Amino acid sequence: MANTVKAHRMPGTLKAAQFIITLEVAFGLVGLAIALAGFFSTFDWGVLPALIYAAGRVALLGWLLSRWSSRRKYLRWAIIAVHLLEVGATILDLVLFSTVTWNAVLGSHLLTWAVIVLLLLPSAGRWFSESRT
């Protein structure tokens, strides 16, 4: 007879974070498709860095989301880092163009901040540090 260990269920907060990240990837793909169509209709090369950033972010979040069930500690911190980099890139853009406002930093990234907070909760730390067996 095999010894089985019952793994704990994923907390609701992590299900919410997973759903938000799934929405970010889905809407990111839609936005990327629209931006690519716009780029290829005008060939405005100034848009290319933004397209590369958007494609890289969507690809990285999609890959991290596909690894969710591995429950590794680095995965949690990598997702937090990607979201913090997104906020940091936005703040850098706002600072360079002198348009920093609270609404631009907090309001437009409400889902990003929600993922960061949900993944920093103790329940997320416990779930990601446990073995999945």
Side-chain angles (χ1 to χ4, degrees):
M1 187 149 83
N3 292 334
T4 58
V5 177
K6 185 168 178 144
H8 294 289
R9 295 178 61 138
M10 185 177 1
T13 55
L14 283 181
K15 287 181 182 179
Q18 187 180 29
F19 178 73
I20 292 170
I21 296 169
T22 304
L23 280 179
E24 288 176 339
V25 171
F27 286 127
L29 287 172
V30 170
L32 190 60
I34 292 169
L36 278 171
F39 172 74
F40 285 118
S41 68
T42 63
F43 286 103
D44 182 12
W45 294 100
V47 177
L48 197 57
L51 280 174
I52 292 170
Y53 167 75
R57 181 184 175 278
V58 168
L60 183 59
L61 276 178
W63 181 75
L64 290 171
L65 190 60
S66 73
R67 307 286 302 152
W68 188 275
S69 63
S70 71
R71 297 174 72 166
R72 301 220 169 129
K73 288 181 185 180
Y74 80 87
L75 181 69
R76 173 184 173 219
W77 293 110
I79 294 171
I80 291 171
V82 168
H83 283 84
L84 285 174
L85 283 173
E86 177 187 356
V87 171
T90 301
I91 290 173
L92 179 65
D93 181 51
L94 294 172
V95 166
L96 289 176
F97 294 103
S98 301
T99 56
V100 179
T101 63
W102 283 109
N103 187 31
V105 175
L106 297 176
S108 63
H109 291 290
L110 193 60
L111 293 179
T112 303
W113 287 112
V115 169
I116 292 169
V117 168
L118 290 172
L119 289 178
L120 287 175
L121 292 174
S123 61
R126 283 190 300 271
W127 191 80
F128 275 105
S129 66
E130 291 177 352
S131 172
R132 72 177 186 159
T133 57

